[in-house]
Amino acid sequence: MSPESSPVSQSTVPEAVPQGLFSRLMGVYFSPGETFAEIGRTPRLLIPMLVLAVVSAVAVYVMVDRIGVERVLGQGIEQAVASGRLTQQQAEQQLEGIRRVAPYIKVGFPLYGAVAGVVMALIFAGICKLVSMLMGFENEFKPVFAVSLYALLAVSLLSSLALILLLYLKPPEEIDLQNPVGSNLAALLAVAGVELPKFVRALASYVDLFYIWKVLLLAIGYAAVSRRLKTSTAITICGVIAAILALIFSGFSTLFG
């Protein structure tokens, strides 16, 4: 695509001083459309990538530190025993191995969290570019990636803060590792005592305030940096993709969780 056809081309938009990280984050919260358009005109990736990595790493570290490596990994082992994939003896052997390497795992989890946040932004940007090519929307990868970073960072800051507060306000043994924040339909139904099939419960966990907010921000951002893509169309497309991903991940959780 030629520079002249880009919605964020320097030849069509007057050059302006880029806003700082804090100003852009506040803009994502309170005026996302205008802010994402500004981000698209002058996309800067390094600082939001680093901050997103740090926020993700801190949230994971606090969770593992408060709950403990053995319980974090032990829940999956217990589920494997319950489903017959492991015997009790095999489970004990695996737990013993976890205890021996727990200090190293405690360091590895935050590193995984840091990388996962940035990789997720890359995946979302890649999906946006693929859909754009298939449907004829015009955009460039760097602005799309910048939008993904800021959208995820804005949501992660608040969801991580909520997680950390809950980890210190509630006893660690009362934290649901599969649904720690409880900002979704599955958590509300569990509090109400409603029993759901495993797949339905996993799917209900995606009817989540932070998940929906993330999808909306991404849609607004992608529309702001794309030519011929209306915000309403972007919301519809992102909503459908989010629903498909929720179905896929819920299916995997049901089969292997």
Side-chain angles (χ1 to χ4, degrees), residues 17-166:
V17 178
Q19 295 180 5
L21 176 73
F22 181 78
S23 297
R24 285 181 165 182
L25 276 175
M26 291 302 101
V28 170
Y29 290 131
F30 299 109
S31 55
E34 296 175 6
T35 303
F36 282 130
E38 190 274 334
I39 290 171
R41 289 192 290 269
T42 53
R44 292 185 173 182
L45 305 178
L46 181 59
I47 293 178
M49 282 176 62
L50 291 176
V51 176
L52 178 59
V54 169
V55 169
S56 303
V58 169
V60 173
Y61 175 81
V62 173
M63 185 176 71
V64 174
D65 183 61
R66 287 286 293 166
I67 295 176
V69 173
E70 185 173 343
R71 182 166 176 245
V72 171
L73 295 180
Q75 187 176 62
I77 294 175
E78 290 174 3
Q79 291 173 348
V81 172
S83 63
R85 299 197 304 273
L86 286 177
T87 65
Q88 190 61 47
Q89 183 178 5
Q90 290 172 326
E92 288 296 332
Q93 291 173 348
Q94 289 196 14
L95 285 172
E96 182 59 33
I98 289 172
R99 295 185 191 104
R100 288 197 298 268
V101 298
Y104 305 102
I105 296 176
K106 192 174 180 179
V107 174
F109 264 114
L111 292 176
Y112 167 79
V115 173
V118 176
V119 169
M120 190 62 66
L122 273 171
I123 291 172
F124 288 156
I127 292 173
C128 176
K129 279 300 298 179
L130 177 61
V131 172
S132 297
M133 289 188 292
L134 292 174
M135 301 188 70
F137 308 128
E138 296 180 8
N139 49 44
E140 296 178 355
F141 184 78
K142 190 174 179 180
V144 167
F145 184 33
V147 161
S148 302
L149 287 169
Y150 274 97
L152 294 190
L153 178 55
V155 177
S156 294
L157 277 171
L158 296 188
S159 62
S160 297
L161 178 60
L163 172 62
I164 291 170
L165 287 174
L166 283 173

Side-chain angles (χ1 to χ4, degrees), residues 123-124 127 203 206 211 240-251:
I123 291 172
F124 288 156
I127 292 173
L203 192 59
Y206 286 92
Y211 188 68
V240 170
I241 294 173
I244 293 171
L245 291 176
L247 286 167
I248 293 172
F249 291 136
S250 297

Side-chain angles (χ1 to χ4, degrees), residues 159-251:
S159 62
S160 297
L161 178 60
L163 172 62
I164 291 170
L165 287 174
L166 283 173
L167 287 169
Y168 282 99
L169 290 174
K170 294 178 68 174
E173 61 273 11
E174 294 182 9
I175 299 292
D176 182 356
L177 295 179
Q178 294 184 333
N179 200 350
V181 177
S183 56
N184 52 63
L185 181 60
L188 292 176
L189 293 174
V191 170
V194 179
E195 292 290 336
L196 296 172
K198 191 173 182 180
F199 175 77
V200 177
R201 185 172 67 250
L203 192 59
S205 70
Y206 286 92
V207 185
D208 179 274
L209 292 176
F210 291 113
Y211 188 68
I212 294 170
W213 184 27
K214 188 186 302 179
V215 172
L216 288 174
L217 283 181
L218 289 170
I220 293 169
Y222 294 153
V225 299
S226 301
R227 190 183 294 275
R228 295 201 297 269
L229 176 59
K230 295 181 179 179
T231 301
S232 58
T233 304
I235 290 174
T236 300
I237 294 171
C238 288
V240 170
I241 294 173
I244 293 171
L245 291 176
L247 286 167
I248 293 172
F249 291 136
S250 297

